[in-house]
């Protein structure tokens, strides 16, 4: 028989090292960002949409939250819940750009794994459509909104401090937040009634924006944009402006300038000559590029690069896809 291990109380035990935790970053579908509009390229978050649900809480000042058919002014302490795939933008509510907010985005798959999940089918599927709700404004003085705001603030804190296990506490709080949100929607939210025209405008605007973002670097005409959605040039302009209060060509120019600013931010030596950079983002006239850059960004490309070197500008949304 083999020797039995010693059981002397005074015998020191060999320490067992804790198992190494796997890197779950790719599975963690929650993003928390602190946004200062005064520091963004154009002092605004331009039109975007995404499959994630988004929560926003205003930290300082006042912001103007816009969708294709409505707008809300949010002051410090107030927040908003934005449903999946809702096209929206955010601008200062006044001439004072000194306003900031926290943004929390998460994909339902993080909580429910997949759309085939029975819990997803039971709790999320019935309310995920924009026809049920597009967004919910959260008032800090509204008792019904207190739980929602509290959970969002706790999620923000967890993801900024990042104590061990914060991913698990975030998931737990997202589940509790979902329950409170569904209860509020069931009891208090009246489904928006959109006309066929409003629905069609929104769909067409998304298609045009997607096409622009995929082809901005080459020549794009209004005829081409209208052809993408099978309508006339005049109707193309009208429907886009009804949806976003901007013409398709104005959006194209603004998007090109935003891409140019992002390329300047990257600091690639290939982009040190602004005449070449203007061609790269779709302009064939360097002076017109400079004029629009100043119009939209508030300074020349050279001044913009110098501000970047001094650390005066950042853009947390520059890599966010819509």
């Amino acid at each position: 028989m083999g020797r039995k291990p010693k059981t002397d109380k005074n015998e020191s035990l060999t320490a067992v090292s804790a198992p190494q935790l796997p890197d779950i970053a790719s599975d963690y579908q929650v993003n928390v960002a602190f946004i200062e509009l005064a520091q963004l390229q154009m002092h605004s978050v331009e039109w975007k949409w995404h499959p994630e649900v988004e929560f926003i809480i205003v930290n300082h000042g006042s912001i103007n939250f816009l969708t294709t058919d409505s707008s809300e002014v949010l002051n410090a302490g107030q927040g908003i819940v934005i449903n999946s795939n809702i096209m929206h933008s955010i601008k200062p509510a006044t001439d004072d750009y000194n306003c900031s907010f926290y943004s929390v985005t998460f994909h339902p798959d993080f909580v429910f794994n997949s759309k085939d999940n029975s819990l997803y089918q039971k709790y999320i599927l019935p309310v995920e459509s924009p026809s049920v709700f597009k967004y919910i404004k959260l008032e800090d003085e509204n008792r019904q909104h207190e739980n929602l705001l509290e959970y969002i603030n706790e999620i923000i804190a967890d993801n900024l401090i990042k104590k061990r296990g914060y991913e698990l506490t975030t998931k737990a709080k997202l589940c509790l937040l979902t329950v409170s949100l569904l209860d509020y929607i069931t009891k208090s939210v009246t489904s928006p009634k959109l006309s066929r025209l409003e629905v069609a405008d929104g769909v067409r605007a998304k298609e045009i924006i997607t096409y622009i973002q995929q082809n901005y670097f080459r020549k794009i005409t209004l005829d081409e944009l209208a052809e993408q959605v099978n309508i006339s040039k005049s109707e193309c302009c009208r429907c886009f402006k009804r949806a976003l209060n901007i013409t398709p060509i104005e959006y194209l120019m603004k998007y090109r300038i935003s891409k140019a600013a992002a390329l300047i931010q990257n600091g690639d030596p290939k982009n040190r000559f602004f005449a070449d950079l203007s061609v790269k983002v779709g302009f064939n006239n360097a002076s017109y590029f400079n004029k629009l850059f100043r119009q939209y960004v508030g300074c020349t490309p050279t001044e913009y690069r110098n501000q970047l070197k001094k650390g005066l500008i950042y853009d947390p949304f520059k890599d966010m896809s819509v």
Side-chain angles (χ1 to χ4, degrees):
M1 295 179 63
R3 294 180 58 190
K4 293 181 179 180
K6 292 181 180 181
T7 58
D8 188 346
K9 293 181 181 179
N10 296 322
E11 182 181 12
S12 62
L13 299 177
T14 302
V16 178
S17 60
Q20 179 125 11
L21 295 177
D23 181 9
I24 62 169
S26 60
D27 298 326
Y28 190 63
Q29 302 180 63
V30 179
N31 182 65
V32 174
F34 178 65
I35 312 300
E36 295 180 275
L37 291 185
Q39 300 298 323
L40 298 188
Q41 293 169 357
M42 301 178 192
H43 308 309
S44 63
V45 178
E46 291 304 314
W47 290 102
K48 65 189 182 80
W49 67 94
H50 40 69
E52 294 82 10
V53 177
E54 184 172 8
F55 305 113
I56 285 174
I57 291 185
V58 180
N59 177 69
H60 178 78
S62 299
I63 64 172
N64 191 14
F65 171 83
L66 301 100
T67 67
T68 56
D69 60 354
S70 60
S71 64
E72 297 282 355
V73 173
L74 305 177
N75 300 312
Q78 296 180 327
I80 198 162
V81 182
I82 310 165
N83 205 350
S84 300
N85 294 309
I86 297 300
M87 189 153 51
H88 60 281
S89 69
I90 300 171
K91 304 181 185 302
T94 67
D95 292 335
D96 181 6
Y97 298 145
N98 186 25
C99 44
S100 59
F101 62 92
Y102 285 96
S103 166
V104 180
T105 56
F106 85 99
H107 198 287
D109 284 358
F110 175 64
V111 175
F112 298 100
N113 298 322
S114 75
K115 291 189 176 183
D116 295 329
N117 186 293
S118 61
L119 294 178
Y120 183 96
Q121 299 280 337
K122 180 177 181 179
Y123 293 110
I124 300 302
L125 193 60
V127 298
E128 71 174 354
S129 169
S131 64
V132 177
F133 88 99
K134 297 179 71 172
Y135 64 84
I136 299 171
K137 182 179 179 180
L138 303 177
E139 309 273 2
D140 52 345
E141 68 275 7
N142 187 319
R143 293 184 61 185
Q144 291 181 295
H145 297 166
E146 284 181 359
N147 282 346
L148 297 173
L149 288 167
E150 183 177 351
Y151 285 135
I152 297 170
N153 276 312
E154 288 178 0
I155 290 169
I156 292 170
D158 287 350
N159 283 266
L160 293 180
I161 299 172
K162 293 188 176 180
K163 288 184 178 179
R164 182 180 176 85
Y166 77 95
E167 301 96 338
L168 298 178
T169 61
T170 295
K171 188 167 186 175
K173 288 168 185 174
L174 282 172
C175 287
L176 294 171
L177 177 56
T178 300
V179 172
S180 295
L181 183 60
L182 293 175
D183 183 58
Y184 176 76
I185 291 172
T186 302
K187 294 178 180 178
S188 307
V189 174
T190 302
S191 299
K193 295 179 180 177
L194 301 178
S195 68
R196 288 185 178 181
L197 182 61
E198 289 172 324
V199 172
D201 286 347
V203 171
R204 287 168 174 167
K206 282 185 177 181
E207 290 181 12
I208 292 170
I209 286 176
T210 299
Y211 186 80
I212 286 174
Q213 293 181 347
Q214 293 173 347
N215 298 277
Y216 69 91
F217 48 85
R218 64 177 186 78
K219 182 179 179 181
I220 296 178
T221 64
L222 184 57
D223 281 316
E224 193 173 343
L225 295 177
E227 184 178 344
Q228 295 303 309
V229 289
N230 298 312
I231 54 178
S232 67
K233 289 192 300 182
S234 57
E235 181 58 23
C236 179
C237 285
R238 283 194 294 266
C239 80
F240 199 89
K241 191 156 189 175
R242 282 195 300 262
L244 305 184
N245 200 32
I246 187 174
T247 70
I249 298 302
E250 288 171 336
Y251 178 86
L252 170 62
M253 296 298 107
K254 202 169 186 179
Y255 188 77
R256 284 173 170 168
I257 294 299
S258 72
K259 298 302 288 188
L263 288 173
I264 295 173
Q265 286 179 10
N266 290 341
D268 190 331
K270 295 178 181 178
N271 299 321
R272 66 182 182 276
F273 299 115
F274 294 129
D276 295 337
L277 178 63
S278 67
V279 174
K280 187 176 290 187
V281 296
F283 290 96
N284 57 14
N285 185 309
S287 62
Y288 185 54
F289 164 74
N290 289 331
K291 176 183 176 181
L292 287 184
F293 198 99
R294 178 186 284 278
Q295 176 182 329
Y296 290 132
V297 182
C299 61
T300 66
T302 300
E303 291 169 341
Y304 186 74
R305 176 178 285 165
N306 291 336
Q307 289 178 30
L308 284 169
K309 290 178 179 178
K310 295 177 182 178
L312 300 178
I313 295 176
Y314 81 105
D315 187 358
F317 282 99
K318 69 178 181 179
D319 296 321
M320 183 174 287
S321 60
V322 299

